[in-house]
Amino acid sequence: MTTFRGRTDPMTGRIVLLGATGYTGGLVLDALLRRGATPLLAGRNRDAMVGLAERSGDLEHALVDVSDFASVANLLRGGDVLITTVGPFDRHPIPHRGCRRSRRSLRIRHAA
């Protein structure tokens, strides 16, 4: 269930922020929180993820390995929005390729 600007809609997916503990991830997280979103935080470092989730209002969080397609794909479900700040993108293309591969299995109509 996603909460955005005080509304809760059980029909929408989650906002998943991959790379949440990095510099750019932190900027994106701050922008989402200012807008009332409650994203699921995703990253590789358990301690950093737990600390960030607690400091951000006890947000839900998950550990993923961006070099493992299955790790990213297993996190996502139909209706989710994935925001990835993991880079450099030429060295870590798996989330992007994984999302394209997951479109059919997750019944995703549009991907950018």
Side-chain angles (χ1 to χ4, degrees):
M1 189 169 342
T2 299
T3 302
F4 184 70
R5 293 191 181 174
R7 297 184 316 242
T8 300
D9 186 352
M11 297 303 291
T12 59
R14 306 165 299 172
I15 298 172
V16 179
L17 178 56
L18 182 59
T21 61
Y23 177 76
T24 303
L27 296 174
V28 172
L29 176 60
D30 289 344
L32 289 169
L33 292 174
R34 279 194 312 273
R35 288 165 177 80
T38 54
L40 180 145
L41 307 179
R44 63 179 178 192
N45 182 316
R46 176 181 291 281
D47 293 337
M49 192 65 53
V50 169
L52 181 61
E54 288 174 355
R55 288 190 308 277
S56 302
D58 289 322
L59 293 175
E60 186 180 359
H61 58 281
L63 295 177
V64 295
D65 178 358
V66 297
S67 66
D68 176 20
F69 164 70
S71 176
V72 176
N74 289 334
L75 176 65
L76 302 175
R77 23 183 222 234
D80 284 353
V81 173
L82 175 66
I83 301 172
T84 179
T85 61
V86 176
F89 299 117
D90 61 339
R91 219 179 318 155
H92 299 290
I94 297 296
H96 311 289
R97 289 183 189 153
C99 291
R100 287 194 303 260
R101 281 191 224 159
S102 294
R103 283 182 64 184
R104 187 173 299 132
S105 64
L106 296 175
R107 298 180 188 163
I108 295 171
R109 290 187 170 170
H110 303 286

